[in-house]
Amino acid sequence: MQTKAADSQKVSQGQGKVPVHVAIIMDGNGRWAQKRGLPRLDGHRVGVDCIQRILKTLSAKGVEYVTLYAFSTENWNRPAEEVAGILEILQQALRGQTEALHKNNVRIVHIGKQDRISPQLQDEVAYAEGLTRNNTGITLNVAFDYGGRDEILEAVRKIIRDGVPEDQVDEALFRKYLFTGHSPDPDLIIRTGGEMRISNFLLWQSAYSEYFHTPTLWPDLDSEELEQVLEAYSNRQRRFGRVDPEE
Ligand code: IPE
Ligand code: IPE
Ligand code: MG
């Protein structure tokens, strides 16, 4: 069996079996609740509780970066009550889970806009990021008020503000200006809930990500199915535009 370090080395060469970075579009909370005759917010609550289990599985497999899409820039267009409820649940989750994640050496990073969320949620983010900043285990990027287009525009604005000369704007520089500048591109993007679209998630970073979707609603995704997805990933051939060398 390979060590975690050996795996990540292989992946960085584009031939890896274990993804270094897994990103998940956690969709289907509302339908999960509605199927049970419950309010949609109950689905969001259960959905957030599932995160620890998924993290445990990914971390045991040697995954080093996990990005979770929790609330998009477009999700503000939902009914005000649902928006307020989701953001409140995220705030409670950060408060309730940060210490345990810290004990497990997880580094927590928020990706997305900070200026539209409540001051209380901003405080929770600052606390979680500050406490876990130097942790060396898995990096957990929590994406809320996140949109890929917004992120790209924000990067462009920062580059202009920094007065970067035009001939220095290349892919390596640009990626550092994204919210995910501290993470490699996702190797694997999983979407639960049956839809087959990207919904404004990691637009720049997903250029060569392997994509999996499952009809399973997010609260129903269990470790067994997740392991099956990882197994399927390990059988994918990634070519990055090249022709495969003959075996
Ligand atoms: C995903 O679940 C979580 C958020 C978008 C906040 P949904 O709320 O989109 O659930 P469905 O797709 O309506 O079932
Ligand atoms: C994507 O789910 C966003 C998150 C999971 C946070 P949506 O439910 O918002 O996506 P659409 O509207 O079906 O594309
Ligand atoms: Mg949805």
Side-chain angles (χ1 to χ4, degrees), residues 27-29 31 40 78 191 195:
D27 197 19
N29 292 341
R31 280 165 283 165
R40 290 176 59 88
R78 294 188 177 198
R191 181 167 188 145
E195 313 295 354

Side-chain angles (χ1 to χ4, degrees), residues 25-27 69-72 75 78 191 195 197 199:
I25 302 174
M26 306 185 292
D27 197 19
Y69 201 10
F71 188 83
S72 74
N75 288 149
R78 294 188 177 198
R191 181 167 188 145
E195 313 295 354
R197 54 176 170 256
S199 300

